[in-house]
Amino acid sequence: MDPVKDSKPIRRFPAIFPSLRQVSRVLHPKVLFAWENSVQYRASNTSWLDGLRGIAALQVYFFHFFGLHTHWGNPYGATPEDVYIHQLPLFRGIWAAGSAAVCIFFVISGFAITIKCLTLLRKGQHLACYESLASSLIRRGFRLYLPVVLVGIPGFFLMRTVDMVEAGTFSFEFERKNSTMEQLLDFVHRTDAHISPFTYAETHEFRDRYPYAPSAWTIPMEYYGSIVSYLTILFVSRIPAFKLRCAVIGFSSLYALHRGCWWASLFLNGMLLAEVMLEQRHRAATSEKHAAPTSRARHMFYQIPFVLMFAFGYYMGGVPPKVLPFDFHPIPRVGYQWLYTLYPPFWMFEMQEDTRWLWYWSGMFIIIGISQVPWLRRVPESTFCQWLGKLSFSLYLVHPAIIAVLKPHLDRFIDGSGAGKGVKCAFDFITLTPICFIVAAVTERWIDQPSVTFARWFEKRITRQETEKSIELPLGRQLEMEEQAPLVERIWPEEEEGKEPSDALLGSPGSSQRRASHDRIS
């Protein structure tokens, strides 16, 4: 008997099983939440900004979510009913600091889009700086507005098919039109008005509202702040003295704040912070060999003012506005009332919203404090915060629509059980938060990253003639230009490939999957 002929054939699994394995891989939590190959953490002097952007985006989400479950304008003790622990200033800085988080976005954006050019200027590489500036200017509009428009398209369909007004302040009744054609025309008109660079940004979010992605009211301010930063780079590019450069940038920021352009002022503050940190790094490197050993006590004494600055900025982040246009009569804001006496006269700083002055300085104090205290930077440098930074722009854009669509249904479901406010809030949070992060991960992969890729492709496409010219240069000249290209050790991962360090609110750590999140946000 031939064992070969009589042996039974080996059974193979049906072809459906490989597809099931693929589905299981797609549904793996690391894939659903965009954790896989996304957080390639590398220690650097600026990685904490990536994580801080992620924390700020999470604060905006908390602000919008918990603001629907409580009177966010009422701190602890404002009324006899407001006696909950989450209303204390210690906790309001976590969930009620969404407006201060927007200010943090703008400072980080100003830092991110200018530090490369400032580094090149310090090396005397003016030609490379101008080329980098032109490249950033070409890509910036696509990087900011393309994800907003692509996220606005499903927002248009949701506006026609779902009642998004019921949840609260994300959509209004007048924004829902009577027919699909009217809604489509409104979508086109509002999208054109929102992304147009020839329309001056309004100073109040409700006047520049984009209902199909409500949180995108900050994106025109991001773009205008970027343009101001680029022009300031050109202005200071021929100024060799560090102190004079800082004086020019600081005066420009102060004048922008005087005119009420707080977003442009914050961008310039981010640029000024980048210049100061580069100078600190330079002095530390040049005086390293000759510097006397510094005692631990002296080092800690140096950090005390910055720790206090961070703590005060955190405290101010939870301050409610003195008057809410959609709220009832103004009431004393216990624990914050004395801050309202710090408002400057309108003729000095033309702030359309008084409390914006306090949120402005809250964001500034938080970033300055963290930048000078190494142990404060450990939290945003953590892997979790770096992951948050990757999803920050997408999370910032998509969470209002998710809350508006799903929260009313969740409330009706839990209302039948007779649960209290606390149980209802916890149920909504546990249900909506994973959904928001999953949708943000999908948006980051299929909208955010392709937007960055398209911007790079568009830049290479329209500058192809210049690229061909550079190839015809003599070999010696080509080598000279290549030697000028490298920057410092690592500023942003995009810079290693010649890309623009994105903003935004805007941040994600290295690898091709991290490229999309640095612009923005936020």
Side-chain angles (χ1 to χ4, degrees), residues 403-425:
I403 295 176
V405 171
L406 298 181
K407 183 181 179 299
H409 300 284
L410 295 176
D411 290 345
R412 283 191 289 269
F413 175 79
I414 197 68
D415 283 341
S417 64
K421 292 183 178 180
V423 175
K424 182 187 297 185
C425 178

Side-chain angles (χ1 to χ4, degrees), residues 59-79:
Q59 282 186 307
V60 173
Y61 168 67
F62 286 167
F63 175 71
H64 287 155
F65 176 84
F66 291 109
L68 297 177
H69 289 84
T70 183
H71 287 143
W72 75 274
N74 294 4
Y76 186 89
T79 66

